[in-house]
Amino acid sequence: MQKIKNSKFTIRIPIIVAITLVAGIQIGAKFFGNQNMVGDVIKSSSKFKEILTYIDRSYVDPVDTDSLAEYGITKMLEKLDPHTAYLPAKEAQLAMSELQNGFDGIGVEFNVFNDTVYVVTPLSGGPSEEVGILSGDAILEANDVDLTGEQLNTRLIFNTLRGERGTEVKMKIKRKGFKEPLEFTVLRDKIPTYSVDASYLMEDGITGYIKINRFSETTYDEFLAGLKGLKSEGMTQLVLDLRGNPGGYLERATAIADEFISGNDVLVYTDGKDDRNDRKMYARHKGVFEKGALVVLVDEGSASASEIVSGALQDYDRALIIGRRTFGKGLVQAPISLSDGSELRLTISRYYIPSGRSIQKPYTSGDLQDYYGELNERSEHGEFFSADSIKNDVKNQYKTMGGRTVYGGGGITPDVFVSRDTTHISRYLMELYGTNIIREYALEYSNDNADKLNKMPFNSFLKSFNVTDAMLKEIIKKGESLGIEYVAKDYAKSKSFIQGQVKALIARSIWKDTNGLSNSFYKVIGKDDEMLKAAMSHFEEAKNLGK
């Protein structure tokens, strides 16, 4: 009897087809329950299997049909919306580690469009933030690996940017406003699961400050511990800093909002095609800080769960929102595990905050470049620098519970606008950051002067320690040794900012906090933080909200 010989593809085809069948039939049956729809999906998946079989059997050249199938799925999902995505098994595992176990890497939240990696936000306190990577930067190359073009995928990005802590990643960055690519050297480090960067009482003795960098599994517990601690110290008003927070677990975000909002009203609700995907989340218990002035800081890097928290607090007139318009992500994804360990993140509904407004910004199906390039458009139109440049659609006007006008359809528009501070930005500064000189100098200085600094109370350091011209000359020399040309005009522009960064990094190195906090760092940079200054000057307005 002649043996039947099956190709590797024929053996693997149940797994490949399972992706489309599970993503189609099972999801369709579970979520939509329409027999005609299921029938259409079966026809489409049969066609998909048939074409792959012909390619495997008869195409003139060898083909990796697994990769071809995954490519087809990815392109198919691009026709839906900007956040529906397919993750192969290894990528799904890596992606979850950001919210659960931590990982070693450069610390950026990124998106891919038009075959280019764009930074959504550098993770607060991570190595990329420390060397000056910004939201909107395009990563062109890392360690001589080209991160543009058709070969680009999430696996390549992870494999290139993640690695053993202490190792270097040399990157070429395209930044708007600079004709030539900028070069950065980032030292990989542990990206921790801690999500509260700072929690401290400010110098006035009554204002608390809490900064949350994302909403992970432990965020609510970290936040609650900090909030209770501040209240016990005498806090009567609070600044909640959600700048650069890309979101995360919705339940952690709404639990935090519940600590500020009294009663049992809706905090957020979802609406989709299938009623089974509709849900409402309510305030459920008496919060720790339901009374007392509250200011929330946001910017264009604040997305998803951050927008739900800030939007709900704005809708209930519970907090004054200060900063710049948020990102505008209000689509809900359900993570669906497939049979081979891969994952489909399917958009099943939209978020709506209490006033009834959606925070999702407009998008055209299949046009990811336009969607993710929208932040660059904001920059070009001057929105980062002028409140008058924010183009809210009057058709999306809503009212807060106290009757104030707010807008939907594109992020949370702040009550008080604060422009992006670029007065210190220069090519010279970027080159110093790119080679990690500022951070390395601060660490060296801390090590060399540890005995003297450890004898100094932190408050004395905060008030009296100055980064001298002699110290700055050392930084200039280090730069010149690496080929960075000293430019007097650029140096003058960036000098005070460099001094502040060096002082803050020294503080972080000497006065280490527990539980992932960097209070000493943020107390130093807070002195020159224009948005934080705006918060301090608007507490009276925050106190009178809803009255």
Side-chain angles (χ1 to χ4, degrees):
M1 181 182 291
Q2 187 178 10
K3 292 184 178 180
I4 298 173
K5 295 182 179 180
N6 290 320
S7 69
K8 291 182 179 179
F9 170 72
T10 305
I11 295 169
R12 290 194 305 262
I13 203 166
I15 296 175
I16 295 172
V17 175
I19 294 170
T20 53
L21 290 177
V22 175
I25 299 172
Q26 289 185 357
I27 294 170
K30 180 178 179 181
F31 290 107
F32 310 121
N34 185 305
Q35 292 302 315
N36 291 332
M37 194 176 296
V38 172
D40 290 341
V41 170
I42 291 173
K43 289 179 183 177
S44 299
S45 59
S46 296
K47 186 189 300 182
F48 187 75
K49 174 182 176 181
E50 188 176 5
I51 291 172
L52 283 174
T53 303
Y54 277 116
I55 291 171
D56 182 61
R57 182 187 303 160
S58 304
Y59 185 70
V60 63
D61 295 319
V63 174
D64 183 345
T65 46
D66 281 348
S67 297
L68 194 64
E70 291 189 350
Y71 178 81
I73 292 164
T74 300
K75 289 300 178 183
M76 172 183 68
L77 297 180
E78 285 180 4
K79 292 293 184 183
L80 300 179
D81 68 84
H83 298 290
T84 290
Y86 164 75
L87 296 179
K90 288 184 179 179
E91 294 177 20
Q93 210 169 20
L94 285 169
M96 283 304 296
S97 67
E98 294 191 17
L99 291 175
Q100 293 181 337
N101 304 318
F103 56 93
D104 292 344
I106 67 168
V108 293
E109 179 88 7
F110 66 87
N111 275 311
V112 178
F113 73 87
N114 199 26
D115 298 328
T116 303
V117 186
Y118 283 87
V119 177
V120 174
T121 186
L123 297 181
S124 181
S128 286
E129 183 191 57
E130 290 187 351
V131 302
I133 303 296
L134 298 177
S135 298
D137 283 349
I139 304 175
L140 305 179
E141 186 179 295
N143 285 348
D144 298 322
V145 176
D146 186 5
L147 292 181
T148 61
E150 292 184 359
Q151 85 285 354
L152 185 68
N153 57 47
T154 310
R155 187 179 304 167
L156 175 64
I157 297 168
F158 281 148
N159 289 342
T160 306
L161 300 183
R162 292 187 179 182
E164 187 178 350
R165 75 187 70 174
T167 56
E168 291 184 343
V169 181
K170 295 183 177 180
M171 299 194 296
K172 287 186 178 179
I173 296 288
K174 174 65 176 170
R175 178 173 294 171
K176 190 166 184 63
F178 292 86
K179 292 182 180 179
E180 300 297 325
L182 301 170
E183 295 186 359
F184 291 86
T185 299
V186 182
L187 203 64
R188 292 186 181 102
D189 203 350
K190 180 72 174 177
I191 310 302
T193 56
Y194 292 118
S195 53
V196 174
D197 288 332
S199 178
Y200 62 85
L201 198 65
M202 298 180 71
E203 290 181 356
D204 62 4
I206 61 170
T207 305
Y209 174 84
I210 297 179
K211 179 173 176 58
I212 303 175
N213 63 55
R214 63 192 181 278
F215 294 98
S216 66
E217 285 189 334
T218 61
T219 301
Y220 176 67
D221 293 334
E222 293 175 53
F223 165 81
L224 192 58
L227 188 65
K228 288 180 177 178
L230 291 174
K231 279 203 72 176
S232 69
E233 292 179 44
M235 177 191 72
T236 60
Q237 57 189 31
L238 175 68
V239 178
L240 178 63
D241 192 343
L242 299 181
R243 287 176 290 180
N245 184 322
Y249 290 125
L250 173 64
E251 289 78 6
R252 308 306 188 274
T254 52
I256 287 172
D258 196 1
E259 295 300 330
F260 302 116
I261 295 172
S262 59
N264 56 358
D265 291 322
V266 172
L267 298 174
V268 63
Y269 64 93
T270 63
D271 184 42
K273 182 190 297 183
D274 191 320
D275 291 345
R276 285 171 288 185
N277 294 325
D278 297 345
R279 59 188 296 211
K280 292 182 178 180
M281 302 190 75
Y282 296 87
R284 296 192 179 279
H285 64 269
K286 184 173 177 56
V288 172
F289 197 69
E290 291 185 353
K291 294 182 178 180
L294 176 63
V295 170
V296 179
L297 307 183
V298 297
D299 64 11
E300 58 280 353
S302 308
S304 192
S306 298
E307 297 173 290
I308 290 168
V309 172
S310 55
L313 293 172
Q314 187 181 51
D315 281 354
Y316 283 120
D317 297 295
R318 178 63 188 92
L320 192 72
I321 311 302
I322 292 180
R324 294 184 293 279
R325 185 161 63 99
T326 60
F327 183 85
K329 180 187 181 295
L331 296 175
V332 186
Q333 285 74 51
I336 302 166
S337 297
L338 305 181
S339 59
D340 64 342
S342 59
E343 182 177 280
L344 174 67
R345 294 185 177 179
L346 183 68
T347 297
I348 58 171
S349 56
R350 286 181 170 82
Y351 287 125
Y352 293 86
I353 49 180
S355 62
R357 54 184 168 143
S358 167
I359 54 178
Q360 177 61 43
K361 62 185 177 183
Y363 63 88
T364 301
S365 295
D367 193 348
L368 297 184
Q369 181 175 0
D370 178 68
Y371 182 77
Y372 286 114
E374 189 262 342
L375 289 184
N376 284 332
E377 288 183 17
R378 293 191 201 183
S379 178
E380 290 174 359
H381 295 156
E383 183 177 324
F384 293 155
F385 308 100
S386 171
D388 293 337
S389 298
I390 300 175
K391 303 299 182 185
N392 284 312
D393 190 341
V394 293
K395 295 179 182 177
N396 285 320
Q397 276 190 3
Y398 294 82
K399 296 292 184 180
T400 68
M401 301 306 162
R404 295 184 299 144
T405 299
V406 289
Y407 294 90
I412 303 300
T413 299
D415 303 307
V416 177
F417 176 83
V418 179
S419 67
R420 179 186 276 184
D421 183 11
T422 59
T423 56
H424 61 280
I425 300 295
S426 68
R427 177 89 193 190
Y428 181 65
L429 175 66
M430 291 301 98
E431 289 178 344
L432 289 177
Y433 260 129
T435 49
N436 223 10
I437 288 173
I438 295 174
R439 183 187 185 194
E440 287 180 2
Y441 174 78
L443 291 175
E444 286 177 10
Y445 184 91
S446 299
N447 291 332
D448 293 342
N449 297 273
D451 291 340
K452 179 179 69 175
L453 292 168
N454 279 318
K455 293 176 183 177
M456 183 185 300
F458 174 74
N459 285 336
S460 297
F461 172 88
L462 185 63
K463 293 176 181 178
S464 63
F465 182 88
N466 294 311
V467 176
T468 65
D469 287 341
M471 294 169 68
L472 293 175
K473 284 181 181 177
E474 291 296 316
I475 294 174
I476 293 169
K477 285 181 182 178
K478 282 180 175 290
E480 290 174 339
S481 71
L482 293 176
I484 299 174
E485 181 184 357
Y486 170 75
V487 181
K489 184 179 178 181
D490 282 2
Y491 172 75
K493 186 177 184 180
S494 303
K495 179 181 177 180
S496 62
F497 180 79
I498 295 171
Q499 288 174 310
Q501 289 294 300
V502 171
K503 183 174 179 177
L505 290 167
I506 292 171
R508 176 184 277 167
S509 179
I510 298 297
W511 289 276
K512 293 181 174 65
D513 298 291
T514 59
N515 299 325
L517 296 174
S518 295
N519 287 339
S520 55
F521 178 87
Y522 285 99
K523 285 179 180 180
V524 173
I525 64 170
K527 294 284 189 180
D528 298 314
D529 187 336
E530 294 301 322
M531 205 178 286
L532 188 53
K533 290 178 184 178
M536 298 301 293
S537 66
H538 282 86
F539 266 114
E540 282 303 315
E541 190 176 342
K543 287 177 184 176
N544 292 322
L545 284 175
K547 292 183 179 179

